[in-house]
Amino acid sequence: MDEAAVRDRLRTVEDPELGDDIVSLGLVNDITVDGEQVDIDLALGAPYSPTETDIAGEVRELLLEEGLEPDLSASVPDRDDVANEDQVLPGVKNVIAVASGKGGVGKSTVAVNLAAGLSRLGANVGLFDADVYGPNVPRMVDADEPPMATEDETLVPPEKYGVKLMSMAFLTGEDDPVIWRGPMVHKVITQLTEDVEWGHLDYLVIDLPPGTGDTQLTMLQTMPVTGAVIVTTPQDVALDDARKGLEMFAKHDTVVLGIAENMSTFSCPDCGGEHDIFGSGGGREFADEHEMPFLGSIPLDPAVREGGDGGKPTVLEDESATGDAFRTITENVANNTGIVHRRGVSQTRRNEAASADR
């Protein structure tokens, strides 16, 4: 079987989210056939996302049925074509910002569980606590080991639950307040990203502070953010502020991967009833109103607070409905990250084909 025959067979593999086959979409970067060995590079950019794992699995199974030995790799041409020296984080495939318009909605909780959930899927993950004024991530993963410094004055981040960590909390006293103006925040945020030995990461999750201030602007202006997750609760007050966050990302041409609704429903262990303490369905309605993906709802569960205070993310609890909720959100974020990459590659290649036909 030659390259043309292999490419023709790959037309039977559908992308369930883009609604066409992977060849027509331009998601097959390269095919090399050497006897029974077939090397295929696919334009898949979200490692360990369920959808892209299924696509790769279908390609592998199809070739095995033909008596071939497949060797699959994945790369996103638009990103890889940028010279390494021009990239802020050359070893990081995806930067996911977790944001909220206001405090108190559980943004850090979602960021921590998202990072741990991605690591649980098998991805190489980093978590940057960019909430300079109120860093909570180290407590929420029970990490007290500070970063190590190298001879080149870079920082080696500690790890917990397979996640590389960086936070302002590692560099200040436990009770020391951070009282800085905007330019200082900009400088520190830049140093805590660019001067850290992140290594090769599939995902770098960034826990942004609440609001739309200096830290958010610094991140969006200096870092290659793949997409953002907006966290809200069902109540109108939180949704009003979530709109401001949505507008901030729109002004900086940053894709919003979806809306996560926290503190949705409380299941009373005593009476067995369900209580909508902060309202009901507001996050989903907000997502529908703005034509954004809805990532899922997280119940109001004391186990989430216990996990945060005790340093063990709820997403790691196998026998837990709340853990399942976090796992659903994690998978949806990974899947939507893949859609961003595959749609971008497909559009670029279709534009190139149209230009060549003129």
Side-chain angles (χ1 to χ4, degrees), residues 215-247:
T215 303
Q216 290 85 344
L217 293 177
T218 296
M219 302 299 294
L220 293 174
Q221 291 171 353
T222 62
M223 294 189 64
V225 178
T226 308
V229 173
I230 294 180
V231 182
T232 185
T233 61
Q235 66 188 116
D236 290 339
V237 171
L239 293 169
D240 287 343
D241 289 331
R243 289 184 178 88
K244 299 173 185 177
L246 193 64
E247 183 64 24

Side-chain angles (χ1 to χ4, degrees), residues 71-93:
D71 185 6
L72 305 185
S73 58
S75 62
V76 179
D78 287 347
R79 175 70 187 270
D80 294 344
D81 287 346
V82 180
N84 281 344
E85 60 268 20
D86 295 332
Q87 295 182 19
V88 175
L89 296 167
V92 178
K93 294 181 180 178

Side-chain angles (χ1 to χ4, degrees), residues 106-346:
K107 170 188 53 59
S108 294
T109 296
V110 172
V112 166
N113 279 276
L114 174 60
L118 289 167
S119 178
R120 187 178 188 272
L121 290 175
N124 294 321
V125 183
L127 175 57
F128 177 34
D129 182 2
D131 193 345
V132 173
Y133 298 110
N136 297 312
V137 165
R139 172 186 287 277
M140 299 178 76
V141 295
D142 191 25
D144 52 14
E145 177 188 349
M148 303 295 291
T150 69
E151 293 181 357
D152 296 328
E153 297 185 350
T154 59
L155 297 174
V156 179
E159 291 190 31
K160 197 66 184 286
Y161 303 117
V163 177
K164 294 182 179 180
L165 305 168
M166 184 52 60
S167 171
M168 191 66 202
F170 290 134
L171 308 179
T172 60
E174 183 176 347
D175 298 320
D176 293 341
V178 176
I179 306 172
W180 288 339
R181 295 186 183 276
M184 189 62 181
V185 172
H186 177 95
K187 180 179 179 180
V188 169
I189 289 292
T190 302
Q191 288 181 330
L192 289 182
T193 50
E194 297 182 12
D195 295 343
V196 173
E197 299 288 336
W198 291 110
H200 293 282
L201 297 179
D202 297 315
Y203 302 92
L204 175 60
V205 178
I206 301 178
D207 178 22
L208 292 174
T212 55
D214 292 328
T215 303
Q216 290 85 344
L217 293 177
T218 296
M219 302 299 294
L220 293 174
Q221 291 171 353
T222 62
M223 294 189 64
V225 178
T226 308
V229 173
I230 294 180
V231 182
T232 185
T233 61
Q235 66 188 116
D236 290 339
V237 171
L239 293 169
D240 287 343
D241 289 331
R243 289 184 178 88
K244 299 173 185 177
L246 193 64
E247 183 64 24
M248 174 185 69
F249 289 119
K251 287 184 177 180
H252 288 82
D253 296 323
T254 300
V255 175
V256 174
L257 300 172
I259 311 299
E261 182 186 81
N262 194 21
M263 308 180 196
S264 57
T265 300
F266 173 65
S267 297
C268 179
D270 296 324
C271 70
E274 293 189 347
H275 307 278
D276 298 323
I277 296 175
F278 294 104
S280 175
R284 183 181 291 276
E285 292 172 5
F286 177 80
D288 291 343
E289 175 187 348
H290 295 277
E291 298 182 340
M292 293 283 118
F294 182 64
L295 300 171
S297 296
I298 304 157
L300 184 61
D301 185 346
V304 176
R305 192 272 305 164
E306 294 167 3
D309 289 346
K312 185 173 183 180
T314 311
V315 73
L316 302 177
E317 299 291 343
D318 291 328
E319 303 298 326
S320 164
T322 304
D324 288 340
F326 278 118
R327 286 186 283 274
T328 295
I329 289 174
T330 298
E331 292 177 358
N332 285 336
V333 169
N335 280 338
N336 291 351
T337 299
I339 291 174
V340 170
H341 288 302
R342 299 197 309 279
R343 183 176 287 151
V345 170
S346 181

